[in-house]
Amino acid sequence: MPGGLHRAFLLWGFTTMAEKLIPPRTLKGFRDYLPQVMIPRERIMEIARRVYRSYGFAPIDTPALEYLEILAGKGGEETDKQMYRFQDHGGRWVALRFDLTVPVARFTAQHLNELGIPFKRYHIAPVWRGENTQRGRYREFVQCDFDTIGTRSLTADIETTLVIHDLLRAIGFQEFVIRINNRKLLNGLLERQGLADRAAGVLRALDKWGKIGTEGVKQELEQIVGLTPDQATAVLELTQIHGDHDEVLSQAEKLVQGSAVGEEGVHELREVLRGAAAGGVAPTYLVLDLAIARGLDYYTGTIYETYLTALPGIGSVCSGGRYDNLAELFTTQSLPGVGASLGLDRLLAAMEELGMLEAVSTPAPILLVFFDPGRRDDYLRLAAQLRSAGFNVEFYPEPKKISQQLKYADRRGHRVALVIGESEFEKQVCQVKDLRAGAQKEVPLELKALTEAISEILAR
Amino acid sequence: MPGGLHRAFLLWGFTTMAEKLIPPRTLKGFRDYLPQVMIPRERIMEIARRVYRSYGFAPIDTPALEYLEILAGKGGEETDKQMYRFQDHGGRWVALRFDLTVPVARFTAQHLNELGIPFKRYHIAPVWRGENTQRGRYREFVQCDFDTIGTRSLTADIETTLVIHDLLRAIGFQEFVIRINNRKLLNGLLERQGLADRAAGVLRALDKWGKIGTEGVKQELEQIVGLTPDQATAVLELTQIHGDHDEVLSQAEKLVQGSAVGEEGVHELREVLRGAAAGGVAPTYLVLDLAIARGLDYYTGTIYETYLTALPGIGSVCSGGRYDNLAELFTTQSLPGVGASLGLDRLLAAMEELGMLEAVSTPAPILLVFFDPGRRDDYLRLAAQLRSAGFNVEFYPEPKKISQQLKYADRRGHRVALVIGESEFEKQVCQVKDLRAGAQKEVPLELKALTEAISEILAR
């Protein structure tokens, strides 16, 4: 697009003083990100990109707007209702994407020949849903998805576990658990009981656990899904197995014995645990939780949820699973795969609650004070040197009172202020202020000494 | 947002085999970004963030959707026509942002107390315009803006020059020119001739230079704007001054002498050149070009355009300038500032044309071949070690024929393949293949030796 034209258009609105001010406001359910929030947001997205890339996941992007027929009916009735849809200039019905899964299904089907499989992609981008804001939900939020598409190999399930683990660790969490299940266990149990056709209903009931409790689930299994009390008890028995990995697996094995799919589920869980250990995940990070259902019957194998130990109530911060066919609405080629999605905003909310975010609204820890109006060139020269040495340096644009500049630094969260007045220039020294400690040190005005003094403060 | 719910919705569409396939396609004027294009795209955006941050510009984000009344009428008739607008679920008229300048004006007015001034921000985000696609334009594109808001200090103009310079250099360009002008020169000239009220018309005529040439501009100045032939000649004389910085400034000085605003323009250009030199910009990167007009009369001081020496015809890849009042439609507080915008897509097109982009569709230079099916854990362990050493490593998910895995590596653009079969495991060695050179080396199967062998290949 015409970078060259980017601001030409401002003419009409801005040439004359507005007669009436337009109240500046955002739409209900939408929000602005101020630097203090946007800095950690960008940091997490950068970490996600780095971790995804370290496993060979490649970035893609798709348009925010798609043909309505691509998106409609893919997310259930509620999502259909929430979708932002309209007719464009050419009379086409279009809609804003409500997730990144339908777009990647369309994308993969469309470019399959060029992409080849296995295809490992990540996609970090905003999506839109006209949610009920009373539930504290936002209508625009960023998803951070990664998937391995086109392989049934458990290697991809293992790697999904590794990525979730590396991601949380890289962001700074030491204590969390990745809850793992495999959809085949429940399928095996239901198969053994001649209930294979009730899977959807059973999953829907299990998903309500948090709201209605064990008794409620049992009632729903019996009264709505139509299980006998014994069958309902068996389902609850499977999903309530607890203990270490070996205990859970051996108990589950007994319950699904004789069902090929059920036994396969046990085998797959065992392999994923083994592979994750080989890949460097300490066993305490992994919990087998046969109760997690993850949104009904889209998933067909491994399922993941991730909880922060300090804040389990906030819900899963990274979830996903294995599916049999990503894009069956768009292509006849079967595309099995596995992936997960980082809940960026939920994670940021948790980090804020846990005091993991600094109240900083500048990406530059160093403020170079503009003290002597006649020395601008010298300040510019010094700032350039410090940037070449790898520091982010903000140079205050005006030679205002030093107290005002230090107040600015305090408000922004700068860590270091460099003050050089006429007498400092004459003596070729610099006052290096540690703004948090309130301490100050005189240092020779040359790069090596300054680098040392600054690095010392930043390391504190 | 509910990371925990991210795929629950897929149930309805995906549970049953579609009876009729939906053709996978993107809307006219929109495009998918495949890894080969998205990798350099992400790289440039990362460089932009790094350079912006190094000067203390802080990231912000605003919603894609705004109240229509915030956006309407701000970009002129054509932009108004191109805007994607519709009624949302609550019956509100909303629109997709068509640039990042109107949103930052609204944002700054709305959060002024919290932000304080000077406020330095960058914003990298998509915008939407229903452009005529026959002109080769896209309807969705990313803008990368940075601005210093709330100061009249020329320090900010100087820094804008430094940022553009550092940005182009960091992306990998050695040869480019930043063309600089100052709107006050023309204003001064017009003032001297009693034509101060004709500025808009004169600028509009000058902007057509590329299309209608000097004679055409002269005709338009006389016939449409209503200048006398002498006045038109004087305007053309000013805008056609060429030479080194001193020559241009001294000639311009003569033409605007006696006009305070004109003389101020000359002074400001001189200061910007001096400051940029102090900040490390070699003089060859800066050209005074008194012909650039940059979109009529929104800009009021310094103006920037940036051209690649090897591809001047592609147009300016980074443009901007100084304005007197960013947000007068939203607040009574005057907010002068200066900034510019990187034309991401134009730059990428140029880089492709100049052969600066590698044909690579993986972010991982290393492919670990899955050779021995019984050794998955060993491969996983090795991959984890290499990642800890800082390498991006893709582990092929299935133990397919080695020829197939190497074909995959070739297609993706992996640089190194690591092959370890049973005999290699026994001898504790690894075959390290340089995929571009077609060479192979046997290396001890331990981190230090592997790191050295891989680094050697990647450095080639």
Side-chain angles (χ1 to χ4, degrees):
Chain A
M1 226 318 293
L5 294 174
H6 86 289
R7 279 161 181 183
F9 39 81
L10 278 161
L11 157 77
W12 312 95
F14 284 86
T15 40
T16 52
M17 195 55 194
E19 277 149 36
K20 204 179 117 228
L21 288 183
I22 300 166
R25 56 187 181 140
T26 42
L27 284 161
K28 196 178 156 197
F30 289 80
R31 52 194 159 161
D32 286 327
Y33 292 97
L34 273 68
Q36 192 173 327
V37 180
M38 197 61 197
I39 288 170
R41 238 176 119 71
E42 277 201 343
R43 186 184 148 259
I44 293 178
M45 289 189 272
E46 268 164 36
I47 289 171
R49 280 191 287 267
R50 179 158 52 78
V51 172
Y52 295 159
R53 286 176 194 160
S54 76
Y55 284 83
F57 292 89
I60 67 160
D61 204 3
T62 64
L65 285 172
E66 299 263 5
Y67 278 104
L68 180 61
E69 69 162 4
I70 299 284
L71 302 180
K74 310 304 181 300
E77 278 173 53
E78 207 191 338
T79 308
D80 260 15
K81 257 188 252 156
Q82 294 172 350
M83 214 183 312
Y84 286 98
R85 62 178 80 193
F86 58 96
Q87 279 186 284
D88 75 0
H89 305 87
R92 288 169 286 258
W93 274 101
V94 300
L96 284 165
R97 64 180 169 218
F98 60 88
D99 79 342
L100 301 179
T101 306
V102 180
V104 79
R106 195 267 306 146
F107 175 100
T108 310
Q110 189 170 335
H111 306 290
L112 199 52
N113 286 337
E114 200 174 337
L115 297 169
I117 54 167
F119 171 51
K120 296 169 82 168
R121 84 87 175 80
Y122 67 87
H123 193 182
I124 300 178
V127 303
W128 295 269
R129 295 184 200 169
E131 296 253 13
N132 185 344
T133 55
Q134 285 171 338
R135 290 188 288 170
R137 299 236 173 118
Y138 286 97
R139 292 177 171 167
E140 176 181 61
F141 51 95
V142 166
Q143 293 197 325
C144 309
D145 284 19
F146 66 99
D147 284 85
T148 305
I149 297 163
T151 179
R152 295 185 192 283
S153 165
L154 283 179
T155 307
D157 302 60
I158 294 165
E159 263 195 355
T160 305
T161 320
L162 299 178
V163 170
I164 297 172
H165 167 264
D166 288 9
L167 195 50
L168 272 283
R169 295 275 300 235
I171 292 168
F173 289 98
Q174 301 301 322
E175 301 199 340
F176 57 92
V177 286
I178 306 172
R179 299 189 170 268
I180 300 186
N181 190 7
N182 190 305
R183 185 58 52 79
K184 291 178 181 172
L185 293 184
L186 186 67
N187 290 349
L189 184 87
L190 296 176
E191 191 185 83
R192 274 193 55 188
Q193 309 198 329
L195 293 168
D197 60 327
R198 307 285 171 85
V202 171
L203 287 165
R204 238 187 310 259
L206 289 175
D207 242 10
K208 295 187 186 157
W209 211 313
K211 282 184 208 152
I212 60 179
T214 306
E215 268 316 300
V217 172
K218 191 158 191 288
Q219 266 185 27
E220 177 155 339
L221 286 174
E222 294 172 16
Q223 290 163 18
I224 297 176
V225 193
L227 271 56
T228 66
D230 280 358
Q231 291 170 332
T233 303
V235 166
L236 290 171
E237 201 183 336
L238 177 74
T239 55
Q240 289 184 337
I241 299 175
H242 282 297
D244 68 27
H245 298 165
D246 286 338
E247 281 164 23
V248 173
L249 287 177
S250 70
Q251 284 186 55
E253 206 157 19
K254 276 176 220 151
L255 286 169
V256 300
Q257 215 156 31
S259 154
V261 65
E263 288 173 8
E264 198 173 273
V266 174
H267 165 76
E268 290 185 2
L269 279 178
R270 202 166 265 140
E271 287 289 292
V272 169
L273 290 174
R274 214 184 79 185
V281 179
T284 49
Y285 285 117
L286 300 179
V287 168
L288 288 181
D289 181 346
L290 308 190
I292 60 171
R294 294 247 30 85
L296 316 175
D297 57 358
Y298 170 61
Y299 290 118
T300 53
T302 318
I303 315 174
Y304 309 88
E305 292 190 347
T306 311
Y307 292 86
L308 304 175
T309 309
L311 273 181
I314 205 164
S316 172
V317 295
C318 192
S319 315
R322 171 168 280 284
Y323 41 86
D324 272 347
N325 202 347
L326 176 71
E328 62 185 349
L329 293 173
F330 303 115
T331 174
T332 53
Q333 177 156 352
S334 168
L335 290 170
V338 57
S341 181
L342 180 75
L344 178 67
D345 292 287
R346 190 176 280 191
L347 201 70
L348 273 162
M351 291 172 80
E352 192 166 3
E353 203 168 329
L354 297 171
M356 291 170 74
L357 302 182
E358 284 186 303
V360 165
S361 58
T362 174
I366 304 164
L367 183 76
L368 175 59
V369 170
F370 194 166
F371 192 90
D372 183 343
R375 289 284 197 166
R376 182 162 61 198
D377 289 356
D378 294 305
Y379 293 121
L380 287 167
R381 216 167 277 128
L382 177 64
Q385 283 176 359
L386 290 167
R387 284 185 201 111
S388 294
F391 294 110
N392 290 352
V393 182
E394 178 166 351
F395 173 36
Y396 197 87
E398 299 171 40
K400 287 196 173 160
K401 272 193 208 153
I402 184 164
S403 61
Q404 202 175 332
Q405 296 185 50
L406 292 177
K407 202 176 145 199
Y408 172 90
D410 189 50
R411 188 171 174 172
R412 288 289 190 280
H414 293 281
R415 300 277 303 276
V416 179
L418 303 180
V419 184
I420 318 162
E422 197 48 50
S423 69
E424 279 85 5
F425 275 116
E426 270 164 32
K427 290 196 286 171
Q428 282 293 295
V429 295
C430 172
Q431 306 296 338
V432 178
K433 284 179 181 288
D434 179 338
L435 295 170
R436 290 200 192 154
Q440 177 168 326
K441 195 175 163 183
E442 190 175 286
V443 164
L445 188 51
E446 51 89 18
L447 191 59
K448 190 162 169 290
L450 281 171
T451 299
E452 278 174 21
I454 293 166
S455 302
E456 202 184 306
I457 296 171
L458 296 184
R460 266 169 210 165
Chain B
M1 228 323 292
L5 293 175
H6 85 290
R7 279 158 183 187
F9 39 80
L10 277 164
L11 158 76
W12 311 93
F14 283 87
T15 40
T16 52
M17 194 55 195
E19 279 148 37
K20 204 179 120 228
L21 290 180
I22 299 166
R25 56 188 181 140
T26 42
L27 283 160
K28 196 178 156 197
F30 289 79
R31 51 192 160 163
D32 286 328
Y33 293 96
L34 273 69
Q36 190 171 330
V37 180
M38 197 60 197
I39 289 170
R41 237 177 121 71
E42 277 201 340
R43 185 182 150 259
I44 293 178
M45 288 189 274
E46 269 165 34
I47 290 171
R49 280 191 286 267
R50 179 159 52 78
V51 171
Y52 295 160
R53 287 175 192 161
S54 76
Y55 284 83
F57 292 89
I60 68 158
D61 203 5
T62 64
L65 287 172
E66 298 264 4
Y67 278 104
L68 180 61
E69 70 160 4
I70 299 282
L71 302 181
K74 310 302 181 301
E77 278 174 53
E78 207 191 336
T79 308
D80 259 15
K81 258 188 252 159
Q82 294 173 349
M83 215 184 310
Y84 287 97
R85 62 179 81 194
F86 59 96
Q87 278 184 289
D88 75 0
H89 306 87
R92 288 169 286 257
W93 274 100
V94 301
L96 284 165
R97 66 180 167 217
F98 60 87
D99 80 342
L100 301 179
T101 306
V102 180
V104 78
R106 193 269 305 148
F107 175 100
T108 310
Q110 189 170 333
H111 307 289
L112 198 53
N113 285 338
E114 199 174 337
L115 297 170
I117 54 166
F119 170 50
K120 295 169 84 169
R121 83 87 174 83
Y122 67 88
H123 193 183
I124 300 179
V127 303
W128 295 267
R129 295 182 200 170
E131 294 255 15
N132 184 345
T133 55
Q134 287 173 332
R135 289 189 288 169
R137 300 237 173 115
Y138 286 96
R139 291 175 173 168
E140 176 181 63
F141 51 95
V142 166
Q143 294 199 324
C144 308
D145 285 20
F146 67 98
D147 284 86
T148 304
I149 298 163
T151 177
R152 294 184 191 283
S153 166
L154 283 178
T155 308
D157 302 58
I158 294 165
E159 265 195 355
T160 304
T161 320
L162 299 179
V163 170
I164 296 173
H165 167 265
D166 288 8
L167 194 51
L168 272 285
R169 295 276 300 235
I171 291 168
F173 289 98
Q174 300 303 323
E175 301 201 337
F176 58 89
V177 286
I178 306 171
R179 297 188 170 269
I180 300 184
N181 190 8
N182 191 302
R183 186 56 54 79
K184 290 177 182 171
L185 293 184
L186 186 67
N187 291 349
L189 184 87
L190 295 176
E191 191 186 84
R192 274 193 55 192
Q193 309 197 327
L195 294 168
D197 59 329
R198 307 286 170 85
V202 170
L203 288 165
R204 237 186 314 258
L206 288 175
D207 242 10
K208 294 186 187 159
W209 210 311
K211 283 184 206 152
I212 60 177
T214 306
E215 267 316 298
V217 172
K218 189 157 192 288
Q219 265 185 26
E220 177 157 339
L221 287 174
E222 293 173 17
Q223 288 162 18
I224 298 177
V225 193
L227 270 55
T228 67
D230 279 358
Q231 289 170 332
T233 302
V235 166
L236 289 171
E237 200 182 342
L238 176 74
T239 55
Q240 290 185 335
I241 298 174
H242 283 296
D244 69 26
H245 299 164
D246 286 340
E247 281 164 21
V248 173
L249 288 175
S250 70
Q251 284 187 53
E253 206 158 20
K254 275 175 220 153
L255 288 169
V256 301
Q257 214 156 33
S259 153
V261 65
E263 288 173 8
E264 198 173 273
V266 173
H267 165 76
E268 289 185 4
L269 279 178
R270 201 166 266 140
E271 286 290 293
V272 168
L273 291 175
R274 213 184 79 184
V281 179
T284 52
Y285 286 118
L286 300 178
V287 168
L288 289 181
D289 181 348
L290 308 190
I292 58 171
R294 296 246 30 86
L296 315 177
D297 58 358
Y298 170 61
Y299 290 118
T300 53
T302 317
I303 314 173
Y304 309 88
E305 292 190 349
T306 311
Y307 292 86
L308 304 176
T309 309
L311 274 180
I314 206 164
S316 173
V317 295
C318 193
S319 313
R322 172 167 280 286
Y323 41 86
D324 271 349
N325 202 347
L326 177 71
E328 63 186 346
L329 294 174
F330 304 112
T331 173
T332 54
Q333 177 156 352
S334 169
L335 290 170
V338 59
S341 181
L342 181 73
L344 179 65
D345 292 287
R346 191 175 279 192
L347 202 69
L348 274 160
M351 291 173 80
E352 193 167 3
E353 203 168 328
L354 296 172
M356 292 169 75
L357 302 182
E358 284 186 303
V360 166
S361 57
T362 174
I366 303 166
L367 182 76
L368 175 58
V369 170
F370 193 165
F371 193 90
D372 183 344
R375 290 283 198 166
R376 182 160 62 199
D377 288 358
D378 294 306
Y379 293 120
L380 288 166
R381 216 167 277 128
L382 177 64
Q385 283 176 358
L386 289 168
R387 284 186 200 108
S388 294
F391 293 111
N392 290 353
V393 182
E394 179 167 349
F395 173 35
Y396 197 86
E398 300 170 40
K400 287 200 175 157
K401 276 194 207 145
I402 184 166
S403 61
Q404 203 176 333
Q405 296 186 49
L406 292 177
K407 203 176 142 197
Y408 173 90
D410 190 51
R411 190 170 173 173
R412 289 287 191 279
H414 293 282
R415 299 278 304 275
V416 180
L418 303 179
V419 184
I420 317 163
E422 197 46 51
S423 70
E424 279 85 4
F425 274 117
E426 271 163 30
K427 290 196 287 174
Q428 283 293 294
V429 295
C430 173
Q431 306 298 338
V432 179
K433 283 178 180 289
D434 179 338
L435 294 170
R436 288 199 193 157
Q440 177 168 327
K441 195 176 165 183
E442 191 175 284
V443 164
L445 188 52
E446 53 90 18
L447 191 59
K448 192 162 168 286
L450 281 170
T451 298
E452 277 174 21
I454 293 166
S455 301
E456 203 185 305
I457 295 171
L458 296 183
R460 268 168 210 164

